[in-house]
Amino acid sequence: MGSRQRSIWAAGLALSAAMHAGAGFLLLGGEAQQRGPHEPDAALMMVRLVAAPPAAATAAAARAPAAAAAVPARAAQAPARAAPRYYLPEELEREPIVLRDRTAEAGIELAAPCVLQLFIDAGGRVVMVRFEGAQPAPALARQLRAAFGAIEFVPGVLGGKPVPVRLRIELLPPAGGG
């Protein structure tokens, strides 16, 4: 595939992602979902976006989702494509905006802090949830992956185009120990 064909393909893919994101935004009435405040005694966990670790330590992790997936035998015969680059929020013109988040409804109870990395594609979908540091118990890990993997975003933007983004999220047990 020549460079002109790659450019046309990339432009088409970016346009498709932007149109899908725009359609979802319009279907939701053009507004991101607003959540009211939760009662303090009903909190099961607190979420805090935190700065990413130094770039040198996380450069490989930013490209990890495609490399981490199992490769079917037929796909192994196709020419290898580079893993997409997942941008950090501080690199963007506009960070991803949450459209739909039902993590509070999942009833997840944390006993200890946990750090997640959400890999969000250019269409605003979470394609991978990865744990940083110690992984929680298997049942809790499944709950966290399901809840945070279902969050929908208006994609992050760089250069006027939607781009893949990696968010680092620190989850804390509620004040008072749970």
Side-chain angles (χ1 to χ4, degrees):
M1 179 183 290
S3 65
R4 181 166 167 28
Q5 287 176 319
R6 274 193 298 262
S7 296
I8 292 171
W9 181 82
L13 183 61
L15 178 61
S16 175
M19 290 175 62
H20 282 88
F25 190 67
L26 291 174
L27 289 173
L28 291 170
E31 298 178 6
Q33 180 179 0
Q34 299 294 317
R35 301 188 67 85
H38 297 285
E39 297 296 322
D41 58 338
L44 299 174
M45 67 180 158
M46 295 174 20
V47 177
R48 177 175 61 168
L49 286 175
V50 293
T58 61
R63 297 183 185 271
V71 179
R74 202 181 312 172
Q77 297 169 359
R81 285 188 276 164
R85 179 171 192 271
Y86 286 82
Y87 293 89
L88 299 175
E90 58 268 17
E91 297 176 282
L92 304 175
E93 294 166 8
R94 187 190 76 213
E95 293 183 19
I97 301 167
V98 175
L99 277 176
R100 198 167 291 127
D101 176 6
R102 294 193 170 86
T103 55
E105 298 166 13
I108 298 169
E109 295 187 37
L110 289 178
C114 180
V115 179
L116 302 175
Q117 292 183 19
L118 300 184
F119 291 84
I120 304 164
D121 69 11
R125 292 173 299 277
V126 176
V127 295
M128 179 182 271
V129 177
R130 186 177 277 171
F131 296 98
E132 192 175 291
Q135 182 162 333
L140 179 58
R142 280 190 300 277
Q143 279 186 302
L144 290 168
R145 279 194 173 103
F148 283 86
I151 298 174
E152 297 175 36
F153 292 89
V154 173
V157 174
L158 182 63
K161 298 177 184 174
V163 294
V165 178
R166 178 171 49 103
L167 292 181
R168 186 171 185 264
I169 300 174
E170 184 176 335
L171 305 175
L172 303 171

